[in-house]
Amino acid sequence: MDGSVHHDITVGTKRGSDELFSSISYGPYIMSTTANGNDSKKFKGDIRGPGVPSRVIHIRRLPSDITEAEVISLGLPFGDVTNLLMLKAKNQAFLEMNSEEAAQNMVGYYSTVTPIIRHHPVYVQFSNHKELKTDNSPNQERAQSALRALSTSHVDMAVAVPSTVLRVVVENLVYPVTLDALCQIFSKFGTVLRIIIFTKNNQFQVLLQYPDGASAQAAKLSLDGQNIYNGCCTLRISFSKLTSLNVKYNNEKSRDFTRPDLPSGDSQPTMEHPALATAFAPGIISAAPYAGATHAFPPAFTIQPAGLTVPALPGALASLTLPGATRLGFPPIPAGHCVLLISNLNPERVTPHCLFILFGVYGDVMRVKILFIKKENALVQMSDGTQAQLAMSHLNGQRLHGKPLRITLSKHTSVQLPREGHEDQGLTKDYSNSPLHRFKKPGSKNYSNIFPPSATLHLSNIPPSVVEDDLKMLFSSSGAMVKAFKFFQKDHKMALIQMGSVEEAIESLIEFHNHDLGENHHLRVSFSKSSI
């Protein structure tokens, strides 16, 4: 099939038969097909509707020698993959995710970062189908076997509980790899809490900690064996036996994002573990200081003793080679750059306050400016480059007021306030002293609770007098649909509320974060990784 055809293929089952439908249609053309060369699976097609979200993802222009594991790996960072149908003869596949929300996150992400498999760009879109039905052919059994090996829900946790800490060795180090570049690559799979880089046995190594094992596992499965740059800087990833990293200094060799108050270190500390003594010899990596730094960072840190690594999980993917660092993460944010340009806003509804609250989920917003001449564009200044990266990677492509956000790095290094006596209709706001900053407190637990936008919101600081119906009524008062609600069993100060869509959840967070519930309680709202 010509790779330029953009129509979806409809998959279904015949009445009274285990076989699938027997033709593919592209507009007026219909042809019979055999899915994998010798499969009995057949297809009936129809022209795609206008990108209606579905749990089933249609992937096109795959390399002819693609493996099941490589296709599954495209979905794993976003949630469990529950079914797979390979159409190798057509260079296509269908992937079924465990939820529509996971599928939306996947399509949204790949609309901004095209996945490259063995130098081939592949294309990801929603299928017309709400679920995927497959037969028991040998090829399908192979797909199911790959699913069992790779999906997080099928890992025998008694055999190998994923650590939250990864050990990464970078082989064939032709170009410098910085701590910030690694953060941008690994933050695709979850929030990076702590990271340490060092040289040991003449190898460039990294220890990196996520808040949960699922993020670490997704990163390992998708990134192990990939090249950061074309043909070099290969990542070899395993789980560490460490349960946590103890970072004492924030500099170009180590970073604790939950402790921005840590010193940079003025002298070489005593090593807590002799094997790491080589970590502070003049390095093979020449790193720029941390983007949000207010002081220089000489290389110095100490960590807990490093242990051995546990055996790797099956099915680690070694052939998703990407041609450049920007394929693994977003383009690196240069030092000192923490201003984002947001475009495609709804000029009738956007306000500086709504951008302050939304972007404030991922960092402390200092200033917001909606452009006077072109009100669908705005500048948002975060407190540092890492927070700007987090906000960009989580919010780019998400819908606000009916339009998908487009977020890029601005050429500006700061947002200028209007000169005294110059009125700009309240389009520029300074939030540098706002009491609503979530991350100003060193070691705040908010660092561990940064999640992508989701339909389920986490509510906290609920007073005892407020009951379930009060909160359901509040969140539906703006016209949004409340699908489910649940108080935390042990703590009624917290609850989960599920909205009708991710877009409704985003607008509800903006509207009701810091809402006064009485009794000196202001509601705290954030995105949840759980569902009800």
Side-chain angles (χ1 to χ4, degrees):
M1 188 190 67
D2 181 5
S4 66
V5 175
H6 282 243
H7 301 317
D8 197 359
I9 302 174
T10 305
V11 182
T13 54
K14 282 184 178 177
R15 290 180 194 166
S17 168
D18 289 330
E19 286 191 348
L20 299 175
F21 282 107
S22 57
S23 66
I24 296 181
S25 69
Y26 300 104
Y29 304 103
I30 297 179
M31 58 184 177
S32 295
T33 183
T34 305
N36 283 316
N38 57 3
D39 257 359
S40 61
K41 291 192 286 298
K42 310 251 171 78
F43 304 88
K44 175 188 173 186
D46 53 71
I47 297 176
R48 269 182 56 77
V52 180
S54 161
R55 286 197 303 137
V56 181
I57 305 292
H58 180 204
I59 305 168
R60 301 178 293 107
R61 291 199 186 178
L62 291 165
S64 54
D65 55 348
I66 188 80
T67 66
E68 287 83 356
E70 287 172 307
V71 175
I72 294 166
S73 77
L74 291 171
L76 276 180
F78 307 93
D80 276 354
V81 178
T82 50
N83 210 347
L84 169 67
L85 181 62
M86 299 287 287
L87 301 177
K88 288 192 177 179
K90 304 297 168 192
N91 302 99
Q92 300 185 22
F94 289 87
L95 208 60
E96 182 185 271
M97 302 301 292
N98 63 330
S99 70
E100 197 173 287
E101 187 182 324
Q104 283 181 302
N105 287 338
M106 177 177 171
V107 172
Y109 180 79
Y110 289 132
S111 69
T112 60
V113 181
T114 303
I116 308 286
I117 300 181
R118 298 190 213 150
H119 309 295
H120 287 268
V122 301
Y123 297 93
V124 176
Q125 63 193 39
F126 290 116
S127 167
N128 289 349
H129 297 280
K130 294 299 178 189
E131 63 178 336
L132 196 55
K133 295 177 182 176
T134 52
D135 62 12
N136 297 318
S137 70
N139 283 317
Q140 200 47 40
E141 284 176 17
R142 190 167 66 243
Q144 295 302 316
S145 171
L147 273 173
R148 284 192 292 275
L150 286 172
S151 290
T152 54
S153 59
H154 292 107
V155 174
D156 184 351
M157 299 313 245
V159 175
V161 178
S163 167
T164 60
V165 180
L166 294 177
R167 174 179 173 265
V168 183
V169 176
V170 183
E171 296 179 348
N172 192 19
L173 195 75
V174 174
Y175 300 113
V177 176
T178 66
L179 183 146
D180 285 320
L182 289 162
C183 285
Q184 286 154 15
I185 291 165
F186 281 86
S187 66
K188 172 183 167 186
F189 303 93
T191 304
V192 176
L193 297 183
R194 299 172 188 90
I195 183 171
I196 296 164
I197 60 176
F198 57 96
T199 306
K200 180 181 176 184
N201 301 331
N202 290 323
Q203 285 184 317
F204 179 72
Q205 300 193 26
V206 184
L207 289 169
L208 180 141
Q209 183 182 351
Y210 284 108
D212 57 83
S215 298
Q217 183 167 320
K220 180 186 180 301
L221 285 170
S222 289
L223 294 178
D224 187 32
Q226 290 200 33
N227 297 332
I228 298 176
Y229 301 104
N230 198 17
C232 65
C233 301
T234 308
L235 299 170
R236 302 292 178 203
I237 305 174
S238 56
F239 291 110
S240 170
K241 278 189 175 174
L242 293 170
T243 55
S244 183
L245 298 180
N246 178 24
V247 175
K248 295 192 173 178
Y249 301 96
N250 280 336
N251 53 45
E252 77 269 27
K253 296 283 188 181
S254 66
R255 194 82 48 77
D256 185 336
F257 293 105
T258 72
R259 295 286 311 278
D261 59 314
L262 288 178
S264 62
D266 296 320
S267 59
Q268 300 289 357
T270 306
M271 291 299 105
E272 290 185 5
H273 193 263
L276 293 173
T278 57
F280 308 103
I284 47 176
I285 289 295
S286 151
Y290 172 40
T294 53
H295 45 258
F297 287 137
F301 66 89
T302 58
I303 66 168
Q304 295 170 343
L308 299 172
T309 55
V310 297
L313 291 171
L317 306 168
S319 54
L320 234 69
T321 306
L322 306 185
T326 56
R327 290 296 181 190
L328 291 175
F330 279 85
I333 289 185
H337 281 64
C338 52
V339 179
L340 298 171
L341 172 64
I342 295 87
S343 55
N344 202 38
L345 292 163
N346 184 330
E348 305 299 320
R349 298 184 61 188
V350 70
T351 64
H353 175 77
C354 97
L355 296 176
F356 166 68
I357 295 294
L358 179 57
F359 282 75
V361 173
Y362 301 104
D364 291 338
V365 176
M366 297 292 110
R367 291 175 181 176
V368 177
K369 178 190 284 288
I370 294 172
L371 302 192
F372 186 81
I373 298 172
K374 206 173 181 190
K375 291 189 173 64
E376 58 268 30
N377 291 344
L379 296 172
V380 173
Q381 181 181 336
M382 307 298 289
S383 68
D384 62 49
T386 304
Q387 292 183 358
Q389 171 67 45
L390 269 176
M392 184 164 72
S393 61
H394 282 94
L395 293 175
N396 190 45
Q398 296 290 345
R399 297 182 75 83
L400 175 64
H401 304 141
K403 301 182 75 174
L405 295 175
R406 296 285 170 253
I407 306 174
T408 56
L409 181 63
S410 168
K411 64 184 179 184
H412 299 285
T413 54
S414 66
V415 170
Q416 297 300 314
L417 295 175
R419 292 196 301 275
E420 215 171 315
H422 286 70
E423 178 55 50
D424 74 343
Q425 300 177 355
L427 296 177
T428 306
K429 294 286 184 186
D430 186 353
Y431 295 103
S432 52
N433 295 314
S434 172
L436 296 184
H437 286 159
R438 296 178 189 244
F439 306 99
K440 63 182 177 184
K441 201 167 154 190
S444 166
K445 63 179 184 290
N446 290 334
Y447 284 101
S448 302
N449 293 311
I450 296 174
F451 302 110
S454 62
T456 305
L457 297 170
H458 179 276
L459 312 181
S460 60
N461 203 34
I462 302 167
S465 61
V466 171
V467 296
E468 178 176 334
D469 283 348
D470 295 330
L471 290 164
K472 284 164 87 170
M473 198 178 298
L474 175 68
F475 276 77
S476 57
S477 64
S478 60
M481 180 171 69
V482 175
K483 286 177 110 173
F485 182 92
K486 185 174 75 175
F487 272 114
F488 278 56
Q489 206 167 1
K490 292 180 181 174
D491 186 357
H492 271 230
K493 291 178 188 168
M494 294 194 290
L496 296 177
I497 189 165
Q498 186 180 342
M499 308 307 294
S501 66
V502 176
E503 184 177 359
E504 282 191 355
I506 287 173
E507 294 189 17
S508 296
L509 181 145
I510 290 168
E511 185 162 356
F512 299 118
H513 179 65
N514 201 45
H515 182 82
D516 189 351
L517 292 173
E519 302 174 46
N520 204 24
H521 282 69
H522 286 79
L523 186 64
R524 298 281 172 262
V525 186
S526 55
F527 297 114
S528 172
K529 68 172 178 180
S530 310
S531 52
I532 302 174

